[in-house]
Amino acid sequence: MSSDATPVPYTDPLSFGQRVQLLRTRRGMSRVVLAGLVGRSSSWVKQVERGEIQTPKLGMILRIAEALRVRDLSELTGDQSSLPVGLFVGPGHERLPAVAAVINAFPSWGAGDREASPAAHLRARVARAWAARHSAPNHRDVLGALLPALIQDAQLAVRQAESGAQRRAAQSVLAEVYALAQFFLAYQPEPALLWRVTERGMMAAQESGDPHAIGVAAWLAAQAHRDSGPAHYEAADAVVSDTLRYLEPLLPGAATPVLAITGALRFEAAYTAARRGDAGTAWGHWDKAREVADRLPGGYYHPVTSFSRPVMGAHAVTVAVELRAGGEAVRQAAAADASVIPSRPRRARHRIEQARGYRLDGQMEAALATLESAFEAAPETIRYNGYARGIVLEGTEAKSPDRRRRAAALAVRIGILAA
């Protein structure tokens, strides 16, 4: 999901260190936590903030940007011409204006509405949209083309529902359409729009009374909170724990999708704990998620979260990476089989997590090679992923000419450097 993209209103001149301190405190992050995230000591961070040591090289600046989740490197450097690259917010998809227009439009309640499609018909369209997303290399383009009509039609179905049962069914479909929209809006330069859709999805799911819809909406809301920074980790945990308390009593005899979304929520708890640096809690939640995955049918793959047996290996890589354990991340990457992940964007995301692990372990050549594989699987996943963009840019400043050329070629392919 995108980070809080509101620029910090600095008054120049401020040093690099002062900017780091302001952004760190704004995030509610201690020096100890920032130091752990960038692989240095808290005293080193203190020296940087006080200006007692020189501004770090680009590679370390990118790591600090990643840890603080700033919108643009200029927020750290103060130089508007020094790589104004939105690391965690993509450049904006060409279909974003059309999707935003439908989301922002106030739905008409007039009598001139056309007849709404039945909820079952809409649900079939949503299922086809998920399938198309998983199979398409340019999945945002696919979703961006489908979403305007899907959003309008799902809203219309809710408005025209004639009974409580029809309305609940329509709200369940609408909640899933908003989930599709959240996948499209992730890493786009519209954080307010993302939150608007997140909240609407939660409301539609609650109105539906559908346990699966409620679980999916909570899963997405937890990600939105977590990606807003350390000050919001508790909110992410609260969403997950409250929803698990609701879902877990329903599991005996529950349909497979409800079981799967419960496992996906368990992993979200692991993810947040890992980002907090709590290894024991993170791996404990991962173990519980794996127990749920083992109860799923062998070939099952949850259409929204990708939760399944095969994806647990990829999830293990993510936990290790977020814990900044490079060696463990590489070990988990070697054990995980990406080829069994059927979703192209999820497979690309796994490759990006592998690349992060290689970078943490000092294996930059392997990191770049893995990102090339991610590009082949789903170009739009790497193009809009801040971690991938950061690793590629770091590679363009490498001492090795071969590595610089390789990174520059990839940077051109994903659109962050001109040809």
Side-chain angles (χ1 to χ4, degrees):
M1 296 290 171
S2 59
S3 63
D4 179 0
T6 303
V8 181
Y10 295 129
T11 300
D12 290 328
L14 286 179
S15 68
F16 175 82
Q18 288 172 317
R19 288 172 180 274
V20 171
Q21 184 175 20
L22 281 171
L23 287 163
R24 176 180 61 77
T25 55
R26 185 181 177 88
R27 287 292 189 191
M29 184 185 293
S30 69
R31 284 185 179 133
V32 172
V33 170
L34 178 57
L37 292 175
V38 301
R40 293 298 181 95
S41 66
S42 58
S43 62
W44 181 87
V45 174
K46 184 177 181 179
Q47 287 178 299
V48 168
E49 292 182 348
R50 291 186 172 185
E52 296 172 359
I53 59 178
Q54 292 182 340
T55 300
K57 293 182 179 179
L58 177 60
M60 180 54 69
I61 292 175
L62 289 169
R63 292 190 184 190
I64 294 171
E66 174 185 320
L68 296 176
R69 300 184 71 77
V70 300
R71 180 182 183 182
D72 193 285
L73 289 185
S74 63
E75 293 183 50
L76 280 172
T77 64
D79 183 354
Q80 295 300 320
S81 63
S82 63
L83 287 176
V85 178
L87 287 175
F88 286 88
V89 180
H93 196 278
E94 62 181 8
R95 294 191 185 273
L96 178 60
V99 175
V102 172
I103 293 169
N104 289 329
F106 188 78
S108 170
W109 290 84
D113 280 339
R114 54 190 167 77
E115 185 177 354
S117 300
H121 175 71
L122 288 172
R123 191 171 294 282
R125 285 171 59 190
V126 171
R128 288 195 295 271
W130 284 119
R133 177 189 179 270
H134 288 305
S135 62
N138 294 315
H139 48 93
R140 273 190 175 81
D141 194 53
V142 170
L143 287 186
L146 296 173
L147 276 169
L150 269 176
I151 293 170
Q152 291 174 325
D153 291 351
Q155 290 174 339
L156 183 62
V158 171
R159 292 201 301 274
Q160 292 187 3
E162 295 179 352
S163 67
Q166 286 181 348
R167 184 174 180 82
R168 287 190 294 274
Q171 291 281 21
S172 177
V173 175
L174 180 59
E176 195 162 346
V177 171
Y178 283 139
L180 277 166
Q182 285 169 263
F183 274 83
F184 175 82
L185 293 169
Y187 303 114
Q188 296 290 297
E190 286 281 2
L193 194 66
L194 176 66
W195 272 108
R196 193 171 307 136
V197 171
T198 300
E199 290 167 355
R200 289 182 186 177
M202 288 289 291
M203 289 188 291
Q206 289 167 352
E207 289 289 330
S208 76
D210 178 357
H212 178 255
I214 291 170
V216 169
W219 181 80
L220 289 162
Q223 293 185 26
H225 282 298
R226 183 179 61 241
D227 287 348
S228 294
H232 301 270
Y233 290 172
E234 289 186 7
D237 285 337
V239 169
V240 170
S241 60
D242 288 348
T243 309
L244 286 173
R245 277 195 294 271
Y246 163 68
L247 289 175
E248 286 179 339
L250 306 177
L251 292 185
T256 299
V258 175
L259 182 63
I261 194 60
T262 303
L265 284 164
R266 276 290 178 194
F267 172 69
E268 289 308 306
Y271 197 152
T272 305
R275 188 165 286 182
R276 189 184 280 115
D278 186 345
T281 301
W283 287 115
H285 282 301
W286 183 88
D287 284 337
K288 291 180 179 178
R290 182 183 58 185
E291 291 172 4
V292 176
D294 288 342
R295 295 169 59 185
L296 296 173
Y300 180 80
Y301 197 83
H302 190 258
V304 181
T305 66
S306 297
F307 191 78
S308 58
R309 292 185 188 178
V311 88
M312 289 309 301
H315 283 336
V317 175
T318 296
V319 169
V321 166
E322 292 294 342
L323 289 169
R324 320 303 289 185
E328 178 64 15
V330 170
R331 189 183 73 81
Q332 293 290 350
D337 183 2
S339 67
V340 299
I341 300 176
S343 168
R344 292 181 71 127
R346 186 62 186 86
R347 193 159 63 246
R349 172 63 189 271
H350 173 52
R351 293 298 191 195
I352 292 169
E353 296 295 275
Q354 286 181 307
R356 293 177 66 198
Y358 286 129
R359 189 185 75 168
L360 284 170
D361 202 46
Q363 301 183 45
M364 279 298 293
E365 287 292 343
L368 290 172
T370 306
L371 289 180
E372 289 167 348
S373 296
F375 184 88
E376 296 303 325
E380 285 192 345
T381 295
I382 184 172
R383 186 170 292 133
Y384 291 93
N385 185 283
Y387 297 117
R389 293 157 69 89
I391 293 170
V392 173
L393 283 173
E394 184 176 341
T396 63
E397 294 290 313
K399 292 181 179 179
S400 164
D402 289 341
R403 187 182 302 168
R404 287 201 306 272
R405 282 192 292 270
R406 186 173 195 173
L410 185 54
V412 170
R413 294 177 78 190
I414 65 177
I416 57 176
L417 287 180

